[in-house]
Amino acid sequence: MVEQKGADVPDPVEALVRPGPSALWLRRLAGPLLSVGMLCLALWALHQLASQVSYREVARYVHGLENHRIVLAVLLTAASYGVMTLYDWFGLASIGRKLPRAQVTLISFISYAFSNALGMALLISGSIRYRFYIQAGLSTVEVAKVVLYCTASFWLGLFALTGVTLMLVPMPPYVPMAELRLPVAIVLTLIPLLWLTGSKLLRRPLHVWRWRLSMPSTATAARQIVTGAVDWGLAAWVLYLLMPNEVDTGFGHFMAIFVLAQIAGLVSHVPGGLGVFEAVMLAGFGATGNQGLEAPILGALAAYRLIYYFLPLCAATVVVLLREARGVAGKVPLAPWFTGLLPPFFAGLTLVSGAVLLFSGATSALPGRMEILRHVLPLPVLEFSHFLASMVGMLLLILARGLQRRLDAAYVLTLVLLLLGAVLSLLKGIDYEEATLLSLLALGLAPAHRLFYRRASLFSATFSVGWIIAILAVLGCAGWLVSFSYKHVEYSNNLWWEFSFYHGGAPRALRALVGATAVGMLFALANLIRPVRPDLRLPDEDDLAKALPLIKHYSSAQAHLALMGDKTLLFDSEGKAFIMYDVEGRSWVAMGDPVGEDDDARRELVWTFRELCERAGGWPLFYQVRPEDLDLYLEAGMNLLKIGEEARVRLDTFNLDGKSKKVLRNTVNKLTRDGLRMEIVPAEAVPALLPRLKQISDAWMRDKGVREKGFSLGSFDPYYLARTPMAVVWQGDQMVAFANLFLTDSKEEASLDLMRHLPDGPAGIMDFLFIELMQWSKQQGYRWFNLGMAPFSGLQSRRSAPLWSRMGALLFGRGERFYNFRGLHKYKDKFDPEWEPRYLAVPGGIALPLVLANVASLISGGLSGMVRR
């Protein structure tokens, strides 16, 4: 297997090295623009190769296929998808993990049904696996290994099958690059052979630049190649059964052209290889416009798309909808990994439904059905239905993004438009197939309202470059279908105003295409004129007064850091929760989890914050998030990195008894005899003490040679300190130490932030302060006393651990030069706390070193503070 020597993130290459903003933007655009360029080139080539073919000839071939060939093709498709599930089974076995059979099979089938139909296999199937396997308990690195195993098996099988086929089967001279058959065959065959040889000879990992290559066992490597080859062989057999008899020169010849067409489609990065695969197949069989083979071949390819891609997608839809219906009825509990699947699942189906409506509007209806409509339906109703159906299709493409973002408005509108689209499909051409698809999706979507809980505006959903390219690609394919379906119709200006049952197909398609385009442009315009950069002003007294009740009732005392006033506060629309954050470079760093008791408001804020960052071109981060809130970030598609552990003392069992507390007990007793005592000063009495407290603070900072920090740590700010109670340690009538307190009204947790003492004060004074505060908090009825986080604590350094974990463990053990990580953990550990992990929630594909530098800069009060105490 291959491991990247970088952080524990899904995109390991980007996690280590990230170019500048201009290069990054170009890199983001390069892939999608290349895909669009290849799609346009493929459609142009397809148009040239099929210039003499009409849409009706293609449809006639599809309708004329024998039933036994269709049934056998369906059975082979089922077998092919059954083999695909072995990728996941063997991948999990290769890393020594075992999951329930039904769960793995369902994840594998759904991921391949979607990725095959929508294209972008690594992105779609990889993201599906990542979300569900993480929920099933796998680490990010383990998921990456499974995805890598499946991808390697996929390509090794394809290379092996292609190489052997080209080596054994001669190619006709009209096949593109036929003269390179043997060199290509040798190269492709060598790749799996080298993989097998390497698995036999290379027992130790190879280090290549940032990558560590660990070869699998020989049995595993052979299993990868065989599984992939069988999968591709079954896929080829499906199309072979559907091809016209006139081009049947043997399965070997067909296989050679098929695998070359598949490689061309995969390399093009066009979703599903759409257009590229068809163009290479036409050229490979010598269909150049004068043999009369174009229509039968295109018909076979259309039937192949329906059987091998669309039918499994429908089957996956039925499986998910049935399971969801049983879950709603209370018969089957829906696991978290399954409920996490549903929003992106419905989003994908909505995208497909929108494309179906657009493609249907670009082609002519069946004559027999139009004859029925002519007797029962007025022509204006037909024309309006056809025009409106394509507009509904475009709206569904847009709303699919809203479903992915779990927007309540997107859910309601999608449900309405699916039902409307089903009615319009019947009115415009009795397309009961489309109506059934749309109705089934609406039926499955109806009981899933609880999954779309966000009340945000539709215009708040950000559209990535890839998503925009996908919508444009669907629209472009619809335009090509209009051109292909009505190439026999001569264009004129009068064509736009022709209305007829029998001869109005071309005008209807043109009008529908323009209507759909207009909808997309209007939505794009509305998004362009919305404000992009939010107001990053610091909170005023009104904002802090609004936040204070939420802070006091929140379970974590850390929320009091909002009172520093150095972080922007983002409230939800109803003021039930807020996020405190600051911006450093491209990193928008939220301190802790959303603050508030309303779970729905807190969940919505995570999405709102992410979209706010994306609109401004930033990276959303959540620093020091707690285990009980991890689902908030997983639902928003973020990844989690452990950054340390927080020490919390359970107060109901805390005491100074026993041998382990002897040193602490002696320190408290000695200092008490020396006249030290602690006083809790209420917030309203703190301002009067600030001048004397300032003297202690200044002396402490001069002695330590440190500077004020920020963000996750308090500083000596009179306005901040006057908002919280203060623990003051006296020796006689002299103040010797102080700490401001974080106290929750729920009595869930007490903590302290700014701690300072006189350099010449009694030894052990901070131990005295901690013990006295814990005993006081226990008497006041608090459950926990929070000692704060120990960075990089609890990270493992074993060889199998992620590099991020090993790097953190190294810093914990050897980073004493600038930060006393190990000493801090050891000091807190003597109070016998319970250590609880803390995480950093980050989006995928970010420059992790730069992000960590941004966070460190915020905490340290600037870049210079990162290398100074």
Side-chain angles (χ1 to χ4, degrees):
M1 300 299 291
V2 179
E3 294 181 11
Q4 199 265 350
K5 296 167 66 177
D8 184 12
V9 292
D11 191 346
V13 176
E14 290 191 341
L16 273 188
V17 179
R18 172 76 65 162
S22 299
L24 177 65
W25 180 248
L26 289 175
R27 192 162 116 186
R28 285 179 175 177
L29 285 176
L33 289 179
L34 176 63
S35 298
V36 171
M38 292 299 297
L39 176 62
C40 293
L41 183 63
L43 293 178
W44 175 82
L46 198 57
H47 181 77
Q48 295 297 113
L49 290 170
S51 58
Q52 306 299 319
V53 180
S54 69
Y55 170 78
R56 295 187 183 276
E57 290 176 318
V58 175
R60 189 181 303 116
Y61 179 84
V62 175
H63 288 290
L65 281 170
E66 296 92 337
N67 290 335
H68 71 276
R69 295 169 70 177
I70 295 176
V71 171
L72 190 54
V74 171
L75 293 176
L76 288 173
T77 297
S80 178
Y81 277 82
V83 170
M84 289 181 200
T85 63
L86 297 179
Y87 289 143
D88 287 76
W89 281 111
F90 294 152
L92 289 168
S94 70
I95 63 172
R97 295 301 298 264
K98 187 175 182 180
L99 295 177
R101 182 181 300 273
Q103 182 177 354
V104 175
T105 301
L106 188 62
I107 292 173
S108 176
F109 174 65
I110 291 173
S111 65
Y112 281 118
F114 266 90
S115 61
N116 287 346
L118 303 179
M120 301 174 288
L122 184 60
L123 174 63
I124 293 177
S125 64
S127 61
I128 290 176
R129 287 190 179 94
Y130 174 78
R131 178 177 293 274
F132 304 141
Y133 284 143
I134 284 290
Q135 293 282 356
L138 273 66
S139 69
T140 304
V141 170
E142 287 176 327
V143 177
K145 288 181 178 180
V146 172
V147 172
L148 189 59
Y149 178 95
C150 297
T151 304
S153 303
F154 176 88
W155 283 102
L156 287 170
L158 179 58
F159 288 156
L161 191 63
T162 306
V164 172
T165 302
L166 293 179
M167 197 171 293
L168 298 178
V169 179
M171 302 293 292
Y174 54 78
V175 175
M177 303 177 65
E179 66 277 5
L180 299 177
R181 175 179 66 89
L182 286 178
V184 171
I186 292 172
V187 170
L188 294 181
T189 306
L190 278 176
I191 293 174
L193 286 178
L194 288 174
W195 186 253
L196 276 174
T197 304
S199 66
K200 184 72 173 178
L201 300 179
L202 300 176
R203 297 300 183 185
R204 304 179 67 179
L206 295 177
H207 295 277
V208 182
W209 192 30
R210 300 192 303 267
W211 301 83
R212 186 180 71 181
L213 179 64
S214 299
M215 297 300 296
S217 66
T218 304
T220 300
R223 192 162 54 188
Q224 286 182 283
I225 297 170
V226 171
T227 304
V230 172
D231 172 29
W232 281 107
L234 289 172
W237 199 356
V238 174
L239 179 56
Y240 181 70
L241 287 171
L242 302 172
M243 291 292 285
N245 296 328
E246 294 83 356
V247 298
D248 187 3
T249 56
F251 185 71
H253 175 227
F254 167 82
M255 175 66 77
I257 298 174
F258 175 85
V259 290
L260 288 176
Q262 287 287 5
I263 290 177
L266 291 168
V267 171
S268 70
H269 291 290
V270 175
L274 186 65
V276 179
F277 175 71
E278 285 79 3
V280 175
M281 289 295 293
L282 283 174
F285 283 102
T288 57
N290 54 6
Q291 291 92 350
L293 299 176
E294 296 87 346
I297 294 176
L298 284 175
L301 292 171
Y304 177 69
R305 290 277 183 186
L306 288 172
I307 293 174
Y308 195 79
Y309 295 108
F310 191 68
L311 277 185
L313 179 63
C314 292
T317 303
V318 171
V319 169
V320 174
L321 295 183
L322 286 176
R323 183 175 176 87
E324 186 202 356
R326 294 172 65 191
V328 171
K331 297 179 181 179
V332 175
L334 295 182
W337 66 266
F338 187 80
T339 55
L341 158 71
L342 291 176
F345 174 81
F346 282 123
L349 287 182
T350 302
L351 188 72
V352 171
S353 299
V356 167
L357 282 174
L358 283 174
F359 295 162
S360 174
T363 56
S364 58
L366 296 177
R369 299 181 184 182
M370 291 299 292
E371 179 66 24
I372 297 173
L373 286 177
R374 189 176 73 87
H375 292 93
V376 299
L377 200 68
L379 180 59
V381 175
L382 170 70
E383 297 286 355
F384 182 72
S385 299
H386 194 282
F387 181 75
L388 192 57
S390 292
M391 297 177 70
V392 168
M394 174 55 71
L395 287 172
L396 289 176
L397 296 183
I398 296 170
L399 288 172
R401 178 63 166 175
L403 290 180
Q404 186 188 42
R405 294 290 180 149
R406 301 172 184 252
L407 297 181
D408 175 75
Y411 164 82
V412 174
L413 285 176
T414 301
L415 201 56
V416 171
L417 290 179
L418 286 172
L419 296 175
L420 177 60
V423 174
L424 294 174
S425 296
L426 296 174
L427 294 178
K428 72 183 180 68
I430 318 182
D431 291 325
Y432 59 85
E433 300 91 346
E434 293 175 24
T436 302
L437 172 66
L438 298 174
S439 300
L440 283 175
L441 180 53
L443 186 64
L445 186 62
H449 193 185
R450 70 188 187 281
L451 301 175
F452 303 93
Y453 46 78
R454 300 187 56 212
R455 304 287 180 177
S457 166
L458 281 173
F459 294 101
S460 67
T462 53
F463 284 74
S464 63
V465 174
W467 196 275
I468 294 172
I469 294 297
I471 294 177
L472 292 177
V474 171
L475 190 60
C477 289
W480 181 87
L481 271 176
V482 171
S483 174
F484 176 76
S485 301
Y486 301 104
K487 63 175 67 178
H488 59 285
V489 179
E490 184 177 353
Y491 177 80
S492 67
N493 291 333
N494 294 330
L495 193 65
W496 294 91
W497 310 107
E498 292 182 8
F499 303 93
S500 169
F501 272 104
Y502 295 116
H503 306 294
R508 275 194 292 273
L510 286 173
R511 290 190 292 265
L513 184 62
V514 170
T517 304
V519 170
M521 292 181 66
L522 286 174
F523 187 83
L525 181 62
N527 275 266
L528 285 174
I529 63 177
R530 68 183 178 183
V532 175
R533 188 79 177 186
D535 182 11
L536 298 180
R537 65 178 179 85
L538 295 179
D540 54 24
E541 289 299 324
D542 291 338
D543 294 326
L544 294 177
K546 182 179 178 181
L548 189 57
L550 300 174
I551 294 171
K552 289 298 184 181
H553 288 88
Y554 191 51
S555 58
S556 173
Q558 177 184 254
H560 285 75
L561 286 170
L563 301 178
M564 275 282 294
D566 63 340
K567 294 173 279 292
T568 301
L569 303 185
L570 174 66
F571 290 89
D572 74 302
S573 58
E574 299 180 3
K576 295 181 178 179
F578 72 87
I579 285 174
M580 48 180 152
Y581 70 96
D582 202 352
V583 178
E584 179 73 20
R586 290 188 62 195
S587 301
W588 294 50
V589 187
M591 181 61 224
D593 301 295
V595 178
E597 293 185 298
D598 190 297
D599 290 338
D600 292 337
R602 297 173 69 242
R603 182 178 288 108
E604 175 58 29
L605 269 177
V606 173
W607 286 97
T608 301
F609 182 70
R610 173 162 190 171
E611 289 164 354
L612 193 71
C613 299
E614 289 174 347
R615 286 201 297 271
W619 295 319
L621 314 171
F622 288 84
Y623 178 68
Q624 283 194 32
V625 299
R626 302 179 298 172
E628 56 263 36
D629 285 330
L630 296 186
D631 62 310
L632 299 179
Y633 312 104
L634 292 174
E635 285 182 4
M638 304 183 78
N639 306 324
L640 299 164
L641 303 175
K642 185 178 179 181
I643 56 174
E645 294 179 315
E646 192 168 79
R648 303 173 75 212
V649 177
R650 185 183 291 274
L651 294 176
D652 58 356
T653 58
F654 174 76
N655 57 64
L656 293 179
D657 300 335
K659 186 177 181 179
S660 62
K661 301 288 181 58
K662 180 180 178 179
V663 175
L664 288 176
R665 188 169 58 248
N666 291 339
T667 299
V668 172
N669 292 336
K670 177 182 180 301
L671 293 180
T672 301
R673 290 193 300 268
D674 290 343
L676 267 67
R677 59 185 175 84
M678 185 191 73
E679 177 188 5
I680 304 297
V681 180
E684 57 270 17
V686 169
L689 299 178
L690 286 176
R692 300 176 68 180
L693 299 177
K694 183 72 163 58
Q695 295 175 7
I696 298 175
S697 177
D698 292 344
W700 181 84
M701 293 184 69
R702 284 194 301 269
D703 179 69
K704 299 295 183 182
V706 297
R707 54 181 287 173
E708 295 283 11
K709 306 298 184 181
F711 191 69
S712 64
L713 302 169
S715 61
F716 196 95
D717 180 350
Y719 294 100
Y720 165 58
L721 296 178
R723 294 186 176 102
T724 61
M726 188 74 66
V728 179
V729 179
W730 299 82
Q731 188 171 29
D733 58 355
Q734 181 185 13
M735 289 184 186
V736 293
F738 71 89
N740 70 313
L741 302 181
F742 293 165
L743 304 175
T744 62
D745 287 351
S746 63
K747 299 297 181 74
E748 178 68 19
E749 188 175 78
S751 185
L752 73 171
D753 181 30
L754 193 69
M755 300 170 287
R756 304 282 161 88
H757 63 87
L758 289 175
D760 55 354
I765 189 171
M766 295 312 295
D767 289 350
F768 176 85
L769 176 60
F770 275 114
I771 294 297
E772 290 293 298
L773 275 175
M774 291 179 199
Q775 292 179 336
W776 176 86
S777 300
K778 181 178 180 179
Q779 293 171 2
Q780 298 298 315
Y782 288 92
R783 292 187 60 204
W784 297 92
F785 191 88
N786 194 322
L787 295 172
M789 190 178 75
F792 301 115
S793 167
L795 274 66
Q796 299 174 340
S797 60
R798 65 176 187 268
R799 290 175 61 89
S800 60
L803 181 57
W804 161 252
S805 180
R806 286 181 279 145
M807 182 178 69
L810 178 65
L811 289 173
F812 180 76
R814 304 183 182 180
E816 302 296 285
R817 170 63 182 86
F818 297 109
Y819 298 100
N820 189 18
F821 295 131
R822 185 181 293 277
L824 181 62
H825 183 277
K826 184 177 180 180
Y827 178 81
K828 294 180 179 181
D829 203 41
K830 66 184 178 181
F831 298 102
D832 289 338
E834 295 184 16
W835 292 97
E836 190 175 84
R838 290 294 179 263
Y839 299 89
L840 178 68
V842 298
I846 62 169
L848 190 62
L850 181 57
V851 164
L852 295 178
N854 292 153
V855 175
S857 177
L858 285 175
I859 297 171
S860 303
L863 292 175
S864 61
M866 295 169 59
V867 293
R868 292 173 52 189
R869 298 185 64 195

